[in-house]
Structures are given as C-alpha cells and as structure tokens.
Amino acid sequence: MYTVSMKSNKTAILTSLLTIFSLLGVMLLQLVVRVNAIKDNYTLYTCIFIGIMALIILFAYVFKGTSSKKKKPSFNYPMLISWVLMCILMLVSDITVFKQYWFLSLILLVLFTGLFFVLGRYTIDQRDRLWRLFVIAIEIAFLAATVFCFLFRPYTVGIRYSGLSANPNVYAMFLISVWICIITRFEIMVNNKKAVASALIPGIEFGTALFFLYMTGARTSFAAIFVVTLIWIIFRFYYTRKEKVHVLKYTLTAIGGAIPAFILSYVLLSTVPGIIGHPVEFERDRMFTALEYEDTTCYAAEESADTAEDAVTGQLAAADQNAVTDEGAVTDQGVTPVDELDSDSSLLNRIKNVFRGDSTLDTMLNGRLSIYESYMKKIDNKGHKKYNKKVNGENVVNAHNNALQIAYSYGRPAGILYVIMTVLAIIYSVRLFITDRKKRSTAILPMLIVLAFTITSLTECILLPIQSLLAFAFYLAVGELINTKYDYKSK
C-alpha cells in the first residue's frame, strides 16, 4: 500500500507540473504573438500552438488516473451539438474561402474537441483539480508579469500603461483572466473555511491587478470585471445569508491587503524602473493617450495590428491611438508636448470622458457603431478571407464583436450557431455553479470565464486561442460544460 501511495503521489506531482508548464507555455506563446505581428508569423505560431495542444491532450490521456470511470461517458448534448455544428460550419467556410488566419475551425474541432473527449473520462474531483492548476498557472504568470513590469516597463505621465504588452487594451484583457482566478481563489478559501488571514493573498492580488487595470485605462475590460464581480457579490451575498457563512472577516482582510498593494504598486512602478535604468521596449510598442479631439472620428482601439502598415493607417485610426514620440503626442492637430499631455490617462478619466455633454453613443463606443454597421452590410453565407476591412476609408483590423466577426469571416450560419452556443454556455455555466458549488471547489470558475468572455466579446474580437488567454479559457470552459451531464450521473 505504501508503494502504491508513493507511486500515486509521484504521478500527481508530475501531472501537476506538466499541466502548469503546458498552460504557462500557452501564455508565453500568446505574449510572443501579442508583441509581434501575427500576420507574418501566423503559420509558425499556429504550429507551435498545435504542438502544445497535442502535448496537453497526450498528458491528459496518459495521466488520467486509475479512479476514472470505465463506462462510456455521456455529454451535455445541446452544448456538444452546438459546438460541433459551429466548428463544422466554420470549416466549410475555411474550405470555401481560404482565410488569412487559416483553419481556426480545425483547431477548435480537432484539438479542443479531442481534449474535451479525453477530459470526459475524468471524474469531477480530477477535473476540479485541473481547474485549480489552471488558476495557479495564471497566478504564476501574473506574478512574473508584475515583477517584470516593476523592473523594466516604466509608465509615462499622460500615457495609458501597456504593461507586458504593446497595447494597454490587450494587457487589460489578460487582467480579466487574472481577476476571475483571484475571485475563484477567494471563493475556495471562504467555502473551505480557511484561516481568515489567508484572505490577505487574494487581497494583495486584487489590489495589484486593480492598479494595473486602472493604469491601462481600458473601459471594456473594466466593464467585464465590474459585471462579473457584481454577479459574484450577488451570489456570495445570497449564499452567505442562506448558509450563514460569515464572510465579512474574509472581505475586510482582503481589503486590508488590497489597499496597501494598490499604493505599493504605484510606488514601485514610479520608482524601480528608473532605478534599474534598463527599460524594455517592444518593436511594436505604441503609445495611447486619453486625449479627446473635436471633429475627429474615433475608431475603436484595435486589439492588435496585423502589420506595421495597419498600425499607422489613418493616423492609427483613433484619438485613443495617438502615437507618442520623444517630442510628444502626434495628432491630426500637430504635436502636443509631453508636458502638456493630460496628466491622468487612467481609467477614471476615460470613463469621465464618455459622459461629456457632446458625446454620442457612437463616440462613447469609440466609433464601434459605425464598424458594426459596416461589417453587418457585408455578411453573407460564405464568409471572407480577412478579418479586417475598410470603414469610412480607414482600415479596421476586426469587427470588435465576436458574433459579427464570425458571421463576417465564416458566414451567417456559423455566426448564428456561435450565438446559440454562447447563450447555452451562459445558461449551463450558471446552472453548473448553482448545482455543483458544494461538489467542487472551482464550480464558479466556468461561469466567471463565460460571463467575462461574453461581455468582453461584445466590444472586442477575441477568437484566436493563440492570441487571447480569455478565448483559450472560454474554449476550455465550453469543454467543461459539454462534460457536465456526465458529472451529475457519476456522483
């Protein structure tokens, strides 16, 4: 028995390490993709991602454990059918109209669906453990990114902070994934009635993540985090009253860690990079200001430019995307010296600018209504080669909405199936949390992922798993929901 136990422990440790390193490998690839032009290296990046996913599937198959059920698993068929049909319709479009970002459909249909079927052989406890490892991997990535930023990525007064990315909006979307993992960690502590002092750890993480989100000035990511946090608080308040769980001490302890962490993060970012004196600059770094200009069409800040040419087309296509040189911010009105830039380019200032008296809904959305209308007019049943298109004479790199992008790129039928699949994912993820919250410690995580992804995808295009951690997490959550029915029968 001792020998078997030792062997089992070694297998568990090896499985944990392989899982964490695989997930960190995916996140490292996403970082490389984000700081480089994806268009010129898409084939290379995709092949690397396929290799990592193949290893993940292999690890999942080999190390599934001796306690997994031998019986044939059953699935949540509405989720499974909508997912597979969507992928097949995308594949038909990929074959009919060869895409700039080729065969995303096969990546989803073969790699992710294959992983779903392998994980379908796992028990609830085993998959719950994998989700806990997912949380740990993201926290490790966040810690590494934070240390790197404090040492080598200084911020400039009047400029939105890009963090470990070439674009503040991209780094803010990474923070969404971090935020929901911190919520999950806090939930685990409360549900397991851990020592109250342990809430300091997620509190410190909350404060640090909130600081970087504030510095990015990313309104879409803030909206996603705000909504999922509000939903979590509502659920937490309801279950706290119903189950008489005393959560106030945990909350106050977390706040006690968050406030100093927020302040300390500002101090460190303000001083340490200057002391080190070796700022790291990415080739595609672009500076974003919070300045607003009259009579300027304000197209949405793109997720990532396909090429350097795309990045500069139409003077970066937005007031939010004004390049900053050593002399100052370059706009259609000339060069603004750095010392005359708005000293507060952070989140609160950008939210305040939304509610100016002369703002329209389109300007509040940074021209997205114009983009949506333009894309909608070109939707057909076959799809289009490129994600980008011209809008009012300016190049826009994507539709800034997942449903529109899939309908435009892969055809109207695929877009309809995507909407159906997403609605089902919302329903089943909430159901999973409500019904399984006492069975598994991470029951809340798929719900948070699906909600955050859905909210973000209303105003951003996040489809490629080699590019977006939130998209990657969403596809994994879809797999969890596909296997949900099997869980209910096995317990």
Side-chain angles (χ1 to χ4, degrees):
M1 292 293 293
Y2 178 76
T3 304
V4 172
S5 178
M6 287 291 292
K7 182 178 179 180
S8 177
N9 288 337
K10 289 181 180 179
T11 301
I13 293 172
L14 179 60
T15 304
S16 299
L17 292 176
L18 289 175
T19 301
I20 291 174
F21 282 126
S22 297
L23 292 171
L24 290 175
V26 171
M27 286 182 271
L28 179 61
L29 174 62
Q30 291 168 345
L31 171 62
V32 173
V33 171
R34 283 303 192 177
V35 299
N36 292 285
I38 184 175
K39 181 179 179 181
D40 298 334
N41 299 285
Y42 179 75
T43 299
L44 173 62
Y45 295 146
T46 300
C47 289
I48 295 173
F49 181 78
I50 290 172
I52 295 174
M53 283 297 295
L55 288 175
I56 291 175
I57 295 172
L58 177 63
F59 297 154
Y61 180 81
V62 172
F63 296 104
K64 74 180 183 65
T66 56
S67 62
S68 293
K69 302 296 182 182
K70 299 294 184 181
K71 58 183 285 189
K72 180 181 178 181
S74 58
F75 300 100
N76 180 341
Y77 284 104
M79 279 299 306
L80 178 61
I81 292 171
S82 62
W83 167 264
V84 172
L85 282 180
M86 182 195 73
C87 294
I88 291 175
L89 289 172
M90 291 174 65
L91 178 59
V92 171
S93 177
D94 268 326
I95 296 172
T96 305
V97 181
F98 189 82
K99 300 294 187 291
Q100 177 183 23
Y101 300 135
W102 48 264
F103 289 104
L104 169 64
S105 57
L106 278 181
I107 294 175
L108 300 182
L109 182 61
V110 176
L111 294 178
F112 280 94
T113 307
L115 180 61
F116 301 163
F117 277 85
V118 172
L119 294 179
R121 304 167 65 194
Y122 280 56
T123 62
I124 290 177
D125 292 339
Q126 288 173 323
R127 290 211 307 275
D128 187 48
R129 182 167 173 269
L130 291 178
W131 279 113
R132 290 198 300 271
L133 294 174
F134 177 85
V135 170
I136 292 172
I138 289 183
E139 288 180 314
I140 292 173
F142 177 55
L143 175 62
T146 299
V147 172
F148 187 86
C149 288
F150 285 153
L151 294 177
F152 306 114
R153 293 285 284 177
Y155 79 93
T156 302
V157 174
I159 303 300
R160 295 172 57 198
Y161 187 66
S162 294
L164 200 62
S165 177
N167 183 315
N169 300 314
V170 172
Y171 194 63
M173 280 188 277
F174 166 72
L175 294 175
I176 296 176
S177 300
V178 172
W179 189 267
I180 59 183
C181 286
I182 302 171
I183 291 178
T184 303
R185 174 178 283 276
F186 186 84
E187 272 289 298
I188 292 173
M189 288 180 176
V190 173
N191 290 331
N192 292 338
K193 298 180 180 180
K194 298 288 186 180
V196 174
S198 63
L200 275 173
I201 296 175
I204 292 171
E205 292 176 317
F206 275 129
T208 306
L210 184 61
F211 167 76
F212 280 109
L213 177 66
Y214 178 81
M215 296 301 291
T216 65
R219 294 173 295 191
T220 295
S221 296
F222 171 74
I225 286 176
F226 176 79
V227 172
V228 297
T229 303
L230 181 61
I231 292 172
W232 166 55
I233 290 174
I234 292 172
F235 273 113
R236 170 43 51 203
F237 178 75
Y238 173 77
Y239 286 118
T240 295
R241 292 189 60 189
K242 185 178 179 180
E243 300 170 2
K244 297 181 180 179
V245 176
H246 299 289
V247 74
L248 181 59
K249 291 181 179 180
Y250 290 96
T251 303
L252 292 176
T253 303
I255 293 174
I259 294 176
F262 188 98
I263 297 172
L264 182 61
S265 296
Y266 175 79
V267 173
L268 292 176
L269 195 63
S270 300
T271 58
V272 175
I275 296 173
I276 299 297
H278 294 286
V280 173
E281 297 180 359
F282 302 129
E283 184 177 347
R284 296 178 64 248
D285 268 342
R286 304 205 317 278
M287 301 299 184
F288 294 66
T289 74
L291 296 176
E292 300 287 347
Y293 298 93
E294 299 294 337
D295 303 321
T296 300
T297 302
C298 188
Y299 290 116
E302 64 220 37
E303 201 174 70
S304 64
D306 291 334
T307 63
E309 180 180 357
D310 287 342
V312 299
T313 299
Q315 297 180 18
L316 297 183
D320 269 349
Q321 293 173 263
N322 296 318
V324 173
T325 66
D326 291 338
E327 291 78 24
V330 180
T331 74
D332 58 348
Q333 298 180 347
V335 177
T336 302
V338 170
D339 59 2
E340 294 182 14
L341 290 175
D342 189 333
S343 60
D344 186 6
S345 61
S346 57
L347 181 61
L348 292 181
N349 194 45
R350 299 197 71 235
I351 293 175
K352 179 186 68 177
N353 287 336
V354 167
F355 299 101
R356 294 180 312 169
D358 58 345
S359 294
T360 65
L361 182 59
D362 199 29
T363 57
M364 287 181 183
L365 295 174
N366 279 19
R368 282 176 170 82
L369 293 184
S370 300
I371 296 173
Y372 299 160
E373 181 181 4
S374 178
Y375 271 83
M376 289 177 66
K377 289 179 179 178
K378 295 298 182 179
I379 292 176
D380 56 24
N381 291 326
K382 295 191 305 181
H384 297 80
K385 176 181 179 180
K386 295 185 177 182
Y387 275 33
N388 63 303
K389 71 183 301 293
K390 292 283 187 177
V391 178
N392 296 334
E394 304 289 357
N395 182 67
V396 178
V397 296
N398 57 58
H400 291 278
N401 177 283
N402 271 13
L404 279 180
Q405 189 67 63
I406 289 183
Y408 174 80
S409 297
Y410 298 97
R412 188 178 289 107
I416 293 173
L417 260 296
Y418 168 80
V419 173
I420 293 173
M421 186 271 296
T422 303
V423 171
L424 289 176
I426 295 172
I427 294 172
Y428 285 116
S429 64
V430 174
R431 174 187 168 186
L432 185 148
F433 172 62
I434 293 174
T435 59
D436 272 23
R437 56 182 302 271
K438 291 186 177 180
K439 298 178 183 178
R440 60 174 88 181
S441 61
T442 59
I444 194 173
L445 186 55
M447 182 183 75
L448 296 178
I449 290 173
V450 170
L451 292 176
F453 174 85
T454 303
I455 295 166
T456 305
S457 65
L458 293 176
T459 55
E460 298 290 349
C461 179
I462 44 175
L463 290 175
L464 301 179
I466 67 171
Q467 215 181 25
S468 169
L469 177 58
L470 192 54
F472 180 78
F474 174 74
Y475 299 139
L476 294 182
V478 167
E480 184 62 48
L481 300 176
I482 286 174
N483 289 312
T484 295
K485 187 175 181 180
Y486 171 60
D487 286 343
Y488 295 147
K489 287 186 176 183
S490 66
K491 293 299 281 185

CSV table of all heavy atoms in Angstrom, one decimal, residues 199-231:
chain,number,residue,atom,x,y,z
A,199,ALA,N,-6.9,35.2,3.5
A,199,ALA,CA,-7.5,36.1,2.5
A,199,ALA,C,-6.6,37.3,2.1
A,199,ALA,O,-6.9,38.0,1.2
A,199,ALA,CB,-8.8,36.6,3.1
A,200,LEU,N,-5.5,37.5,2.9
A,200,LEU,CA,-4.6,38.5,2.5
A,200,LEU,C,-4.0,38.3,1.1
A,200,LEU,O,-3.7,39.2,0.4
A,200,LEU,CB,-3.5,38.6,3.5
A,200,LEU,CG,-3.7,39.5,4.8
A,200,LEU,CD1,-2.5,39.3,5.8
A,200,LEU,CD2,-3.9,40.9,4.4
A,201,ILE,N,-3.8,37.0,0.8
A,201,ILE,CA,-3.1,36.7,-0.5
A,201,ILE,C,-4.0,37.2,-1.7
A,201,ILE,O,-3.5,37.9,-2.5
A,201,ILE,CB,-2.8,35.2,-0.6
A,201,ILE,CG1,-1.8,34.9,0.5
A,201,ILE,CG2,-2.3,34.9,-2.0
A,201,ILE,CD1,-1.4,33.4,0.6
A,202,PRO,N,-5.3,36.7,-1.8
A,202,PRO,CA,-6.1,37.2,-2.9
A,202,PRO,C,-6.3,38.7,-2.8
A,202,PRO,O,-6.5,39.4,-3.8
A,202,PRO,CB,-7.4,36.4,-2.7
A,202,PRO,CG,-7.4,35.9,-1.3
A,202,PRO,CD,-6.0,35.7,-1.0
A,203,GLY,N,-6.3,39.3,-1.5
A,203,GLY,CA,-6.5,40.7,-1.4
A,203,GLY,C,-5.3,41.5,-2.0
A,203,GLY,O,-5.6,42.4,-2.7
A,204,ILE,N,-4.1,41.0,-1.8
A,204,ILE,CA,-2.9,41.6,-2.4
A,204,ILE,C,-3.0,41.5,-3.9
A,204,ILE,O,-2.7,42.5,-4.7
A,204,ILE,CB,-1.7,41.0,-1.9
A,204,ILE,CG1,-1.5,41.4,-0.4
A,204,ILE,CG2,-0.4,41.4,-2.7
A,204,ILE,CD1,-0.3,40.6,0.3
A,205,GLU,N,-3.5,40.3,-4.4
A,205,GLU,CA,-3.6,40.1,-5.8
A,205,GLU,C,-4.7,41.1,-6.4
A,205,GLU,O,-4.5,41.6,-7.5
A,205,GLU,CB,-4.0,38.7,-6.1
A,205,GLU,CG,-2.8,37.7,-5.8
A,205,GLU,CD,-3.2,36.3,-6.0
A,205,GLU,OE1,-4.3,35.9,-5.6
A,205,GLU,OE2,-2.4,35.5,-6.6
A,206,PHE,N,-5.8,41.2,-5.7
A,206,PHE,CA,-6.9,42.1,-6.1
A,206,PHE,C,-6.3,43.5,-6.3
A,206,PHE,O,-6.6,44.2,-7.3
A,206,PHE,CB,-8.0,42.1,-5.1
A,206,PHE,CG,-9.0,41.0,-5.3
A,206,PHE,CD1,-9.4,40.2,-4.3
A,206,PHE,CD2,-9.6,40.8,-6.6
A,206,PHE,CE1,-10.4,39.2,-4.4
A,206,PHE,CE2,-10.6,39.8,-6.8
A,206,PHE,CZ,-10.9,39.0,-5.7
A,207,GLY,N,-5.6,44.0,-5.3
A,207,GLY,CA,-5.1,45.4,-5.3
A,207,GLY,C,-4.1,45.6,-6.4
A,207,GLY,O,-4.2,46.6,-7.1
A,208,THR,N,-3.2,44.7,-6.6
A,208,THR,CA,-2.2,44.8,-7.7
A,208,THR,C,-2.9,44.8,-9.1
A,208,THR,O,-2.6,45.6,-10.0
A,208,THR,CB,-1.2,43.7,-7.6
A,208,THR,OG1,-0.6,43.7,-6.3
A,208,THR,CG2,-0.1,43.9,-8.6
A,209,ALA,N,-3.8,43.8,-9.3
A,209,ALA,CA,-4.5,43.7,-10.6
A,209,ALA,C,-5.3,45.0,-10.8
A,209,ALA,O,-5.4,45.5,-12.0
A,209,ALA,CB,-5.4,42.5,-10.6
A,210,LEU,N,-6.0,45.5,-9.8
A,210,LEU,CA,-6.8,46.7,-10.0
A,210,LEU,C,-5.9,47.9,-10.3
A,210,LEU,O,-6.3,48.7,-11.1
A,210,LEU,CB,-7.6,46.9,-8.7
A,210,LEU,CG,-8.6,48.1,-8.7
A,210,LEU,CD1,-9.6,47.9,-9.8
A,210,LEU,CD2,-9.2,48.3,-7.4
A,211,PHE,N,-4.8,48.0,-9.7
A,211,PHE,CA,-3.9,49.1,-10.1
A,211,PHE,C,-3.5,49.0,-11.5
A,211,PHE,O,-3.6,50.1,-12.2
A,211,PHE,CB,-2.6,49.0,-9.2
A,211,PHE,CG,-1.5,49.9,-9.7
A,211,PHE,CD1,-1.5,51.2,-9.5
A,211,PHE,CD2,-0.4,49.3,-10.4
A,211,PHE,CE1,-0.5,52.1,-10.0
A,211,PHE,CE2,0.6,50.2,-10.9
A,211,PHE,CZ,0.5,51.5,-10.7
A,212,PHE,N,-3.1,47.9,-12.0
A,212,PHE,CA,-2.7,47.8,-13.4
A,212,PHE,C,-3.9,48.0,-14.4
A,212,PHE,O,-3.7,48.7,-15.4
A,212,PHE,CB,-2.0,46.5,-13.7
A,212,PHE,CG,-0.6,46.4,-13.3
A,212,PHE,CD1,-0.2,45.6,-12.2
A,212,PHE,CD2,0.4,47.1,-13.9
A,212,PHE,CE1,1.1,45.5,-11.8
A,212,PHE,CE2,1.7,47.1,-13.5
A,212,PHE,CZ,2.1,46.3,-12.5
A,213,LEU,N,-5.0,47.6,-14.0
A,213,LEU,CA,-6.2,47.8,-14.8
A,213,LEU,C,-6.5,49.3,-14.8
A,213,LEU,O,-6.8,49.9,-15.9
A,213,LEU,CB,-7.4,47.1,-14.2
A,213,LEU,CG,-8.8,47.4,-14.9
A,213,LEU,CD1,-8.7,46.8,-16.3
A,213,LEU,CD2,-9.9,46.8,-14.1
A,214,TYR,N,-6.4,50.0,-13.7
A,214,TYR,CA,-6.6,51.4,-13.6
A,214,TYR,C,-5.6,52.2,-14.5
A,214,TYR,O,-6.0,53.1,-15.3
A,214,TYR,CB,-6.4,51.9,-12.2
A,214,TYR,CG,-6.5,53.4,-12.0
A,214,TYR,CD1,-7.7,54.0,-11.9
A,214,TYR,CD2,-5.4,54.2,-11.9
A,214,TYR,CE1,-7.8,55.4,-11.7
A,214,TYR,CE2,-5.5,55.6,-11.7
A,214,TYR,CZ,-6.7,56.1,-11.6
A,214,TYR,OH,-6.8,57.5,-11.4
A,215,MET,N,-4.3,51.7,-14.6
A,215,MET,CA,-3.3,52.4,-15.4
A,215,MET,C,-3.5,52.1,-16.9
A,215,MET,O,-3.1,53.0,-17.7
A,215,MET,CB,-1.9,51.9,-14.9
A,215,MET,CG,-1.5,52.3,-13.5
A,215,MET,SD,-1.6,54.1,-13.2
A,215,MET,CE,-0.2,54.6,-14.2
A,216,THR,N,-4.1,51.0,-17.2
A,216,THR,CA,-4.3,50.8,-18.7
A,216,THR,C,-5.5,51.6,-19.2
A,216,THR,O,-5.5,51.9,-20.4
A,216,THR,CB,-4.7,49.3,-18.9
A,216,THR,OG1,-6.0,49.0,-18.3
A,216,THR,CG2,-3.6,48.3,-18.4
A,217,GLY,N,-6.4,52.0,-18.3
A,217,GLY,CA,-7.5,52.9,-18.8
A,217,GLY,C,-8.4,52.1,-19.7
A,217,GLY,O,-9.1,52.8,-20.5
A,218,ALA,N,-8.5,50.8,-19.7
A,218,ALA,CA,-9.3,50.0,-20.6
A,218,ALA,C,-10.7,49.9,-20.1
A,218,ALA,O,-11.0,49.2,-19.1
A,218,ALA,CB,-8.7,48.6,-20.8
A,219,ARG,N,-11.6,50.6,-20.8
A,219,ARG,CA,-13.0,50.6,-20.3
A,219,ARG,C,-13.7,49.3,-20.5
A,219,ARG,O,-14.6,48.9,-19.7
A,219,ARG,CB,-13.8,51.7,-21.0
A,219,ARG,CG,-13.2,53.1,-20.6
A,219,ARG,CD,-13.9,54.2,-21.4
A,219,ARG,NE,-13.5,54.1,-22.9
A,219,ARG,CZ,-13.7,55.1,-23.7
A,219,ARG,NH1,-14.3,56.2,-23.4
A,219,ARG,NH2,-13.4,54.9,-25.0
A,220,THR,N,-13.5,48.6,-21.7
A,220,THR,CA,-14.1,47.3,-21.9
A,220,THR,C,-13.8,46.3,-20.9
A,220,THR,O,-14.6,45.6,-20.3
A,220,THR,CB,-13.7,46.8,-23.3
A,220,THR,OG1,-14.3,47.7,-24.3
A,220,THR,CG2,-14.3,45.4,-23.5
A,221,SER,N,-12.5,46.2,-20.5
A,221,SER,CA,-12.1,45.2,-19.5
A,221,SER,C,-12.6,45.6,-18.2
A,221,SER,O,-13.0,44.7,-17.4
A,221,SER,CB,-10.5,45.2,-19.5
A,221,SER,OG,-10.0,44.7,-20.7
A,222,PHE,N,-12.7,46.9,-17.9
A,222,PHE,CA,-13.2,47.3,-16.6
A,222,PHE,C,-14.7,46.9,-16.5
A,222,PHE,O,-15.2,46.4,-15.5
A,222,PHE,CB,-13.1,48.8,-16.4
A,222,PHE,CG,-13.9,49.4,-15.2
A,222,PHE,CD1,-13.4,49.2,-13.9
A,222,PHE,CD2,-15.0,50.1,-15.4
A,222,PHE,CE1,-14.1,49.6,-12.8
A,222,PHE,CE2,-15.8,50.5,-14.3
A,222,PHE,CZ,-15.3,50.3,-13.0
A,223,ALA,N,-15.4,47.1,-17.6
A,223,ALA,CA,-16.9,46.7,-17.6
A,223,ALA,C,-17.0,45.3,-17.4
A,223,ALA,O,-17.9,44.8,-16.6
A,223,ALA,CB,-17.5,47.1,-19.0
A,224,ALA,N,-16.2,44.4,-18.0
A,224,ALA,CA,-16.3,43.0,-17.9
A,224,ALA,C,-16.0,42.6,-16.4
A,224,ALA,O,-16.7,41.8,-15.8
A,224,ALA,CB,-15.3,42.3,-18.8
A,225,ILE,N,-14.9,43.2,-15.8
A,225,ILE,CA,-14.6,42.9,-14.5
A,225,ILE,C,-15.7,43.4,-13.5
A,225,ILE,O,-16.0,42.7,-12.5
A,225,ILE,CB,-13.2,43.5,-14.1
A,225,ILE,CG1,-12.1,42.7,-14.8
A,225,ILE,CG2,-13.0,43.6,-12.6
A,225,ILE,CD1,-10.7,43.3,-14.6
A,226,PHE,N,-16.2,44.6,-13.8
A,226,PHE,CA,-17.2,45.1,-12.9
A,226,PHE,C,-18.5,44.2,-12.9
A,226,PHE,O,-19.0,43.9,-11.8
A,226,PHE,CB,-17.6,46.5,-13.4
A,226,PHE,CG,-18.7,47.1,-12.6
A,226,PHE,CD1,-18.5,47.7,-11.3
A,226,PHE,CD2,-20.0,47.2,-13.1
A,226,PHE,CE1,-19.6,48.3,-10.6
A,226,PHE,CE2,-21.1,47.7,-12.4
A,226,PHE,CZ,-20.8,48.3,-11.2
A,227,VAL,N,-18.9,43.8,-14.1
A,227,VAL,CA,-20.1,43.0,-14.2
A,227,VAL,C,-20.0,41.6,-13.5
A,227,VAL,O,-20.8,41.2,-12.7
A,227,VAL,CB,-20.6,42.8,-15.6
A,227,VAL,CG1,-21.7,41.8,-15.7
A,227,VAL,CG2,-21.0,44.2,-16.2
A,228,VAL,N,-18.9,40.9,-13.8
A,228,VAL,CA,-18.7,39.6,-13.2
A,228,VAL,C,-18.5,39.7,-11.7
A,228,VAL,O,-18.9,38.8,-10.9
A,228,VAL,CB,-17.5,38.8,-13.8
A,228,VAL,CG1,-17.7,38.6,-15.3
A,228,VAL,CG2,-16.2,39.5,-13.6
A,229,THR,N,-17.8,40.8,-11.2
A,229,THR,CA,-17.6,41.0,-9.8
A,229,THR,C,-19.0,41.2,-9.1
A,229,THR,O,-19.3,40.7,-8.0
A,229,THR,CB,-16.7,42.1,-9.5
A,229,THR,OG1,-15.4,41.9,-10.2
A,229,THR,CG2,-16.5,42.3,-8.0
A,230,LEU,N,-19.8,42.0,-9.8
A,230,LEU,CA,-21.2,42.3,-9.2
A,230,LEU,C,-22.0,41.1,-9.1
A,230,LEU,O,-22.7,40.8,-8.1
A,230,LEU,CB,-21.9,43.4,-10.1
A,230,LEU,CG,-23.3,43.8,-9.7
A,230,LEU,CD1,-23.2,44.4,-8.3
A,230,LEU,CD2,-23.9,44.7,-10.7
A,231,ILE,N,-21.9,40.2,-10.2
A,231,ILE,CA,-22.7,39.0,-10.2
A,231,ILE,C,-22.2,38.1,-9.1
A,231,ILE,O,-22.9,37.4,-8.4
A,231,ILE,CB,-22.6,38.3,-11.6
A,231,ILE,CG1,-23.4,39.1,-12.6
A,231,ILE,CG2,-23.1,36.9,-11.5
A,231,ILE,CD1,-23.2,38.6,-14.0
